[in-house]
Amino acid sequence: MTLAPMLFASFIWVVIFAFDFKTMSAGYANNASLTFWNYVIAFIFGCIMLYLLYRTYTQWHKLNGEWNDQRRKNS
């Protein structure tokens, strides 16, 4: 269950990035420089988001392990 929100956020980013890639030719026709920087910044923010989601998942997983250990000790 904890993985679902992270996968949903990643899916949304991939869909938006794919749509931007699909409409790249229209963007380059209007302003090539702005379109290029839009893709670079979107990619960087997407990588940061994926990294932070990964770190959140690993911390949740670690915390769940500690809760399970405490549950076993108290049983």
Side-chain angles (χ1 to χ4, degrees), residues 14-26 28 38-39:
V14 167
V15 168
I16 290 171
F17 198 77
F19 183 74
D20 283 349
F21 190 75
K22 181 180 173 185
T23 59
M24 183 176 4
S25 60
Y28 275 124
N38 178 50
Y39 292 118

Side-chain angles (χ1 to χ4, degrees), residues 33-75:
S33 175
L34 184 62
T35 302
F36 171 76
W37 286 110
N38 178 50
Y39 292 118
V40 170
I41 291 170
F43 182 75
I44 290 170
F45 281 142
C47 290
I48 291 169
M49 178 199 67
L50 292 174
Y51 172 73
L52 292 175
L53 288 174
Y54 170 75
R55 294 288 297 160
T56 301
Y57 176 74
T58 56
Q59 290 300 313
W60 279 353
H61 188 68
K62 181 179 175 183
L63 183 61
N64 190 34
E66 291 177 14
W67 286 343
N68 288 337
D69 289 344
Q70 287 299 320
R71 197 174 305 128
R72 280 188 220 111
K73 288 178 185 177
N74 293 332
S75 295

